[in-house]
Amino acid sequence: METVPQFGSPQPGRAYPDRPVTFGVGVRDGLVALVRVEPADGPVRIDLPGGGIDPGETPQAALAREFVEETGLEVAARARLTLADHYFVNGAAEAFNTRGVFFAVDILAEHPDRKIEADHTLFWRPPQAALTLLSRESHAWALTCWLRRG
């Protein structure tokens, strides 16, 4: 059985229900796709693109949906990089233990008109710089796994 690392620290007395999520490492011209998330009701963070897996959705389908909603990039999951769980409180103060699956993705096309999440801004950084910018340790872990694969 695969060991899944757990990131974050739960606040005592607070429930963290499981939430399946998926995120991806997309690279273009040697730069990693990142999103600056600016929720109206929470702090700014830097994430890999991705998000929640809806009931009945595969991680790969959720990843493709989330990528285009957040960035306008059409992607396909190429290879699973790692699993990682993370105690997380979102901008609406909802707590979850995100149960994450992270993929390397192929960027297939750009569709700026399909980006619908106004609080997400796509930007690109070299991998080492991206590591220092990512807000969540689980995302940095996934990017490190990608880097180690070469």
Side-chain angles (χ1 to χ4, degrees):
M1 175 176 261
E2 185 174 1
T3 301
V4 179
Q6 175 72 60
F7 294 93
S9 298
Q11 297 171 1
R14 184 165 201 173
Y16 288 80
D18 288 349
R19 175 72 168 115
V21 297
T22 183
F23 294 91
V25 176
V27 179
R28 183 175 66 191
D29 299 326
L31 303 176
V32 175
L34 301 172
V35 287
R36 180 181 172 90
V37 184
E38 300 181 63
D41 51 2
V44 172
R45 68 181 188 272
I46 305 298
D47 285 345
L48 294 170
I53 302 170
D54 292 336
E57 200 172 32
T58 66
Q60 295 88 339
L63 182 63
R65 176 184 52 76
E66 287 283 352
F67 241 92
V68 79
E69 289 175 357
E70 293 179 359
T71 69
L73 297 174
E74 180 183 348
V75 302
R78 179 173 13 97
R80 192 187 89 173
L81 295 171
T82 192
L83 302 173
D85 297 343
H86 198 127
Y87 293 115
F88 177 70
V89 178
N90 67 15
E94 300 167 316
F96 300 99
N97 188 16
T98 58
R99 302 293 185 151
V101 57
F102 294 81
F103 292 93
V105 303
D106 292 322
I107 298 171
L108 306 176
E110 294 187 45
H111 302 283
D113 57 313
R114 292 177 53 198
K115 180 188 178 299
I116 60 171
E117 295 191 19
D119 63 347
H120 287 63
T121 304
L122 171 67
F123 68 104
W124 302 86
R125 290 295 181 272
Q128 295 296 336
L131 271 175
T132 66
L133 293 172
L134 287 165
S135 299
R136 296 191 235 182
E137 296 94 349
S138 57
H139 291 217
W141 166 257
L143 184 54
T144 300
C145 291
W146 176 82
L147 282 166
R148 291 183 57 98
R149 287 186 177 204

